[in-house]
């Protein structure tokens, strides 16, 4: 099972400053994009900075996103282990255009990561591997249920 592909997203969002100052305003307009090869949600001060191949002002590792949640229909949060990012779109439609793919990618990546961990610990076995202790003791396979879930996840993964 391959790691899920990140969504293809780019456009303007407002990012709440990490440490907003009183009377200075709390939001910065930034050009956001998913860097699919680095698997990062990058942000730039301007779209021109991105087009001129400048380094991003910052980024969020996609693997580090634990959740993306709607806040008020136009704003949403992207939560990581270290920080919660508050982002705002110009409209509810634009917010959903970002939020829905980020949520789906995060969900699929968690499933993929769980399967990778299970495979590395031996708790997930392919049909081609020898039977486990339960099957050796005659307790039956039980693999069909796991295989079915694995196949379902694989069917939902983008090609």
């Amino acid at each position: 099972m391959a790691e899920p592909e990140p969504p293809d997203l780019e456009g303007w969002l407002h990012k709440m400053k990490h440490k907003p100052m009183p009377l200075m305003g709390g939001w910065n307009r930034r050009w956001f994009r998913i860097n699919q090869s680095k698997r990062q949600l990058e942000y730039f001060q301007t779209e021109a900075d991105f087009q001129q191949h400048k380094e991003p002002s910052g980024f969020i590792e996609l693997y580090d996103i634990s959740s993306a949640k709607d806040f008020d229909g136009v704003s949403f949060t992207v939560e990581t282990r270290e920080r919660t990012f508050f982002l705002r779109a110009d409209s509810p439609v634009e917010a959903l255009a970002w939020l829905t793919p980020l949520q789906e990618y995060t969900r699929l990546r968690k499933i993929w990561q769980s399967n990778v961990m299970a495979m590395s610990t031996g708790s997930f076995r392919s049909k081609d591997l020898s039977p486990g202790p339960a099957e050796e003791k005659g307790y039956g396979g039980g693999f069909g249920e796991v295989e079915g879930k694995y196949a379902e996840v694989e069917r939902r993964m983008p090609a």
Side-chain angles (χ1 to χ4, degrees):
M1 172 188 216
E3 182 175 359
E5 285 298 315
D8 186 17
L9 297 169
E10 70 175 47
W12 289 106
L13 291 171
H14 301 267
K15 183 181 84 60
M16 182 178 279
K17 294 179 182 177
H18 185 56
K19 297 178 183 174
M21 301 291 289
L23 305 174
M24 298 293 285
W27 296 91
N28 288 320
R29 190 168 191 240
R30 296 288 182 249
W31 182 259
F32 277 80
R33 75 176 285 258
I34 300 274
N35 182 326
Q36 294 194 330
S37 63
K38 290 184 178 179
R39 296 184 182 273
Q40 295 174 336
L41 176 56
E42 300 173 331
Y43 51 95
F44 300 82
Q45 285 193 351
T46 66
E47 183 179 2
D49 288 350
F50 162 66
Q51 291 172 342
Q52 294 167 6
H53 304 287
K54 292 185 178 179
E55 288 296 312
S57 301
F59 60 88
I60 303 168
E61 298 284 359
L62 292 178
Y63 72 81
D64 202 28
I65 296 174
S66 58
S67 69
K69 298 177 184 173
D70 178 54
F71 188 72
D72 64 5
V74 178
S75 303
F76 58 96
T77 60
V78 175
E79 296 179 26
T80 70
R81 289 177 285 177
E82 304 279 323
R83 179 176 169 194
T84 298
F85 293 83
F86 288 87
L87 303 174
R88 187 180 73 216
D90 290 331
S91 71
V93 171
E94 288 180 32
L96 274 177
W98 281 91
L99 187 58
T100 303
L102 285 172
Q103 288 174 329
E104 182 65 4
Y105 175 77
T106 301
R107 185 184 73 77
L108 291 173
R109 190 165 197 305
K110 285 178 181 178
I111 292 169
W112 173 81
Q113 192 170 14
S114 174
N115 286 340
V116 167
M117 293 299 293
M119 284 187 243
S120 69
T121 61
S123 61
F124 183 93
R125 291 186 314 279
S126 167
K127 283 196 236 181
D128 300 333
L129 298 178
S130 61
E135 292 90 341
E136 289 172 355
K137 291 181 180 177
Y139 295 126
F143 182 79
E145 181 181 330
V146 173
E147 179 187 34
K149 288 180 182 177
Y150 179 78
E152 176 65 24
V153 168
E154 202 165 54
R155 276 194 301 277
R156 291 184 186 179
M157 301 294 282

